[in-house]
Amino acid sequence: IGNDALGEGLQGRGLVGSLPQPLYPAGNKSGKVVVRVAVNQAGVVTEAAYEPKGSTTSDKALVDAALVAARKARFTESRALVQGGRITYIFRTN
Protein backbone atom coordinates (compact mmCIF):
# COMPACT_ATOMS: atom_id res chain seq x y z
CA ILE A 1 0.00 0.00 0.00
CA GLY A 2 1.40 3.33 -0.99
CA ASN A 3 0.52 6.88 -0.16
CA ASP A 4 -2.93 8.14 0.63
CA ALA A 5 -4.19 11.69 0.37
CA LEU A 6 -7.11 13.91 1.26
CA GLY A 7 -8.83 15.89 -1.46
CA GLU A 8 -9.52 19.60 -1.38
CA GLY A 9 -12.93 19.30 0.29
CA LEU A 10 -11.41 17.86 3.48
CA GLN A 11 -8.09 19.67 3.71
CA GLY A 12 -9.52 22.28 6.07
CA ARG A 13 -10.36 19.56 8.57
CA GLY A 14 -7.79 17.83 10.67
CA LEU A 15 -7.55 14.08 10.92
CA VAL A 16 -8.08 12.50 14.31
CA GLY A 17 -5.15 10.12 14.42
CA SER A 18 -3.96 8.98 11.01
CA LEU A 19 -5.81 8.00 7.89
CA PRO A 20 -6.77 4.31 8.22
CA GLN A 21 -4.80 2.02 5.91
CA PRO A 22 -6.80 -0.46 3.85
CA LEU A 23 -6.14 -4.16 4.14
CA TYR A 24 -4.32 -5.30 1.03
CA PRO A 25 -6.41 -7.96 -0.73
CA ALA A 26 -4.88 -11.25 -1.85
CA GLY A 27 -3.37 -11.32 -5.30
CA ASN A 28 -0.96 -9.21 -7.25
CA LYS A 29 -3.14 -6.11 -7.66
CA SER A 30 -2.25 -2.45 -7.83
CA GLY A 31 -3.89 0.85 -8.70
CA LYS A 32 -5.29 4.10 -7.40
CA VAL A 33 -8.76 4.18 -5.83
CA VAL A 34 -10.52 7.49 -5.19
CA VAL A 35 -13.31 7.46 -2.59
CA ARG A 36 -15.87 10.27 -2.22
CA VAL A 37 -16.84 10.79 1.42
CA ALA A 38 -19.34 12.83 3.37
CA VAL A 39 -18.30 13.86 6.88
CA ASN A 40 -20.77 15.05 9.50
CA GLN A 41 -20.35 17.86 12.02
CA ALA A 42 -18.80 15.48 14.58
CA GLY A 43 -16.13 14.35 12.08
CA VAL A 44 -17.59 10.92 11.33
CA VAL A 45 -17.67 9.61 7.76
CA THR A 46 -21.35 9.06 7.01
CA GLU A 47 -21.06 8.06 3.34
CA ALA A 48 -18.31 6.58 1.19
CA ALA A 49 -18.54 5.82 -2.54
CA TYR A 50 -16.13 4.78 -5.25
CA GLU A 51 -15.21 7.65 -7.60
CA PRO A 52 -14.24 6.42 -11.08
CA LYS A 53 -12.84 9.83 -12.06
CA GLY A 54 -9.22 9.85 -10.96
CA SER A 55 -9.14 6.14 -10.11
CA THR A 56 -6.90 3.89 -12.19
CA THR A 57 -8.64 0.65 -11.24
CA SER A 58 -12.16 -0.58 -10.65
CA ASP A 59 -11.01 -3.91 -9.21
CA LYS A 60 -13.70 -4.92 -6.70
CA ALA A 61 -11.25 -6.15 -4.05
CA LEU A 62 -9.23 -2.91 -4.12
CA VAL A 63 -12.36 -0.72 -4.19
CA ASP A 64 -13.93 -2.61 -1.29
CA ALA A 65 -10.72 -2.36 0.78
CA ALA A 66 -10.54 1.40 0.14
CA LEU A 67 -14.21 1.91 1.06
CA VAL A 68 -13.83 0.02 4.34
CA ALA A 69 -10.75 2.07 5.28
CA ALA A 70 -12.36 5.39 4.28
CA ARG A 71 -15.42 4.70 6.46
CA LYS A 72 -13.09 4.33 9.48
CA ALA A 73 -11.52 7.79 9.01
CA ARG A 74 -12.26 10.37 11.69
CA PHE A 75 -11.90 14.13 11.38
CA THR A 76 -12.00 17.11 13.69
CA GLU A 77 -15.37 18.70 14.43
CA SER A 78 -16.67 21.48 12.22
CA ARG A 79 -19.49 23.99 12.13
CA ALA A 80 -20.52 22.61 8.74
CA LEU A 81 -23.33 20.07 9.11
CA VAL A 82 -21.97 17.98 6.22
CA GLN A 83 -18.72 18.34 4.34
CA GLY A 84 -17.65 16.32 1.32
CA GLY A 85 -14.32 15.44 -0.13
CA ARG A 86 -12.14 12.67 -1.51
CA ILE A 87 -9.66 10.23 -0.08
CA THR A 88 -7.21 8.59 -2.48
CA TYR A 89 -5.61 5.24 -1.77
CA ILE A 90 -2.72 3.94 -3.85
CA PHE A 91 -2.18 0.18 -3.80
CA ARG A 92 1.25 -1.03 -4.87
CA THR A 93 2.62 -4.52 -5.15
CA ASN A 94 5.82 -5.23 -3.29
Side-chain angles (χ1 to χ4, degrees):
I1 295 171
N3 297 331
D4 43 74
L6 297 178
E8 293 177 15
L10 296 172
Q11 287 179 340
R13 278 203 183 201
L15 275 168
V16 175
S18 59
L19 197 58
Q21 293 294 312
L23 295 176
Y24 200 93
N28 193 18
K29 301 175 182 183
S30 62
K32 178 169 66 170
V33 177
V34 178
V35 178
R36 266 181 300 127
V37 295
V39 180
N40 69 13
Q41 196 171 15
V44 175
V45 174
T46 57
E47 294 178 39
Y50 169 69
E51 175 61 61
K53 184 177 180 181
S55 294
T56 62
T57 183
S58 60
D59 180 87
K60 183 172 174 20
L62 295 180
V63 170
D64 288 348
L67 290 171
V68 168
R71 287 184 186 109
K72 294 177 183 177
R74 295 296 177 258
F75 297 88
T76 54
E77 294 183 5
S78 171
R79 291 185 180 178
L81 293 178
V82 178
Q83 192 172 12
R86 290 178 174 77
I87 301 173
T88 301
Y89 289 101
I90 299 173
F91 293 87
R92 294 188 178 122
T93 57
N94 291 334

